Amino acid sequence: MAKEQSKLSFLWRLTRGHRFKFLLALLFLFAASFAALIGPQVIRLFIDSVVGGMSPGLPAVVLPWFESAGGTEMLRQNLWLALIGIVAAGGLYMLFQYMYDVTAGDVGESVAKNTRESIYTHLVRLPYDYFVRTPSGDILQRCSSDIGEIQSLLSEDLMSIIGAVITIAVNLAIMIAIDPVLTVVSVALVPFMIILTSITKGVMARAFEKNKSCGDDLASFMHTYVQGIRVIKAFGRQAYENSRFQKLNQSLGDSVRDTEYASAYYWPFYLTLILGQTALVIIVGIFRVAGGLTSVGTVVAFISYSTATINQFRYFGYILISIAMAQVALGRLDDILGEEQEMPDGEDFEKALQGDIGFENVSFSYGERQILRNINLHVAPGETIGILGKAGSGKSTLMQLLVRLYDPTSGRITVDGHDLSTISRQYMRNNVGFVVQEPFLFSRTVADNIAMAQPDATEDEIRAAAEMASVDQDIQAFRDGYGTVVGERGMTVSGGQRQRIAIAQTLIRDCPILILDDSLSAVDADTDKRIRWALKRAAANKTVFVISHRINSLATCDRIFVLEDGEITAWGTHRELASREGLYRRIMEIQSADRDMVLEDVEKAHQEGGLA
């Protein structure tokens, strides 16, 4: 119950700023419902007065006016008035229904727009951890189809159910005034309809929740599949990925089928109850007319009102099923908005960062898994630090702590002598250039991508950054040069070009602290060397962290730290680490052996005549 109230509270918050239009739409709906009642009354009046010769049964307020206009005789001589009355009633209904549709549609779209803005604004403020643990396909699904469900709820379903309640209430009031006995007969089977609808709604809600979950899984798979299509094709994994797709697709199909089965059971039973209800009204009406207890016109009008009332209960069934879908969507969107934001904290420095960095007994755990243990190191301003370690040793996490994508579980990090927790996250991210392990290029021009971190950068600044990243010549060779549009994730450029564009993107900001997280892995040794020397010249006064598996990339660093299982096991210069046993020396020997082996293979091929 509390969960349902939470969803209603969330829905109410979404309508903020549009509640007047919402009430106006309800007013038009109320007017349309009343206009729909006029037609049956016109028919009853003409049948009873003209055909049956009975009293018109009009309200006391209207009766004197009717008699002064000629009464029943006037109606008998002007039968065309019946047509005029029915058409006028229909015209009024169409006018108010049109006004309702336009207003309700506007409310639905406005709320959907506000919801998209709220979700987007909230997403960009969520911590990095949320995007690590939440599949991107799940987020995309919630930001598209779920918001569509909310729009449908507000523009159609919610209004329709309110309109149904109004129509039922007014119809029942008129029916009771006309014939209380027939009214009781008209709603005799309604309790069974309500029970059937309530049971089906619960079943459908659970089925829709499963549908959404299966849809999220399939959307996440497709998102990953499209991003990794080159790797899948390169390794010939199409058959394996196809089998995964088939399983996910089958799960979604099964959940949709369960929903259809529930719906298929519901409607035949419901329609049978509707037909039975109409038959009861007709049979009892015939007996009452034969007994002189009511008129033919009253029975005809009653059948019309009764059918309209039953149809509203029928719409109840359809609308409640739609509301069940919207409730699931509301819950899923509320889950996103319920995620705790990365709140602004700390302060900005009044003077520029110098780049003096210290890690004091820093440990970090992700869930129950400990990533870093008792990290202690100090980096002086302008120093270049290399970090080496096996995959999963915590190298990237160490740097993510520095830009406050995560905060340490214990210990503290200092920047220029200040505790990092007292410095705002945004300030650190503005002053630390971070080239991530897997760079992302937006589907924009190369120039726009390089200037992403500094939108007001000039063409000369963009080109200078590209030259420093040793990618200027490559860009010049593109069809449109710096105006070339790169595809999603930089699909139209090579891996090395993508990494170098990402480096230029970071260098253009001229940050006092620079982090290269294995960002030269896709470039050749010569390009690696050119970039490193260009960075050394440009970053003479910057504090630089270089994470790499290549000894060549680390050899020129002032100091190198070796991470193993989240702990620093060795540190020193290249010569110091190369001279003593440990992981650094083993990796260096392996890479040297690989180079020697390549040279031996080439020499052997020459001797055997395999190479020119």
Side-chain angles (χ1 to χ4, degrees), residues 421-481:
S421 63
T422 66
I423 305 172
S424 75
R425 292 184 177 90
Q426 193 60 46
Y427 181 82
M428 284 303 298
R429 293 167 192 174
N430 287 340
N431 285 275
V432 177
F434 199 157
V435 185
V436 296
Q437 204 166 7
E438 297 179 2
F440 180 92
L441 298 185
F442 290 87
S443 186
R444 301 172 189 173
T445 66
V446 175
D448 286 341
N449 271 281
I450 293 176
M452 180 66 64
Q454 189 173 324
D456 59 348
T458 64
E459 290 184 12
D460 290 341
E461 289 173 329
I462 291 171
R463 185 160 183 178
E467 288 175 348
M468 201 182 309
S470 195
V471 73
D472 176 63
Q473 291 183 359
D474 297 66
I475 296 172
Q476 295 287 4
F478 292 164
R479 185 182 62 186
D480 297 319

Side-chain angles (χ1 to χ4, degrees), residues 196 199-201 203-205 207-208 210-211 250-270 321:
L196 177 63
I199 293 172
T200 305
K201 177 180 176 289
V203 173
M204 297 290 277
F208 283 128
K210 186 179 178 183
N211 282 359
Q250 183 65 44
S251 296
L252 179 58
D254 290 343
S255 67
V256 171
R257 198 172 293 110
D258 291 342
T259 307
E260 294 298 331
Y261 285 159
S263 180
Y265 285 126
Y266 174 72
W267 288 115
F269 281 113
Y270 202 94
I321 290 171

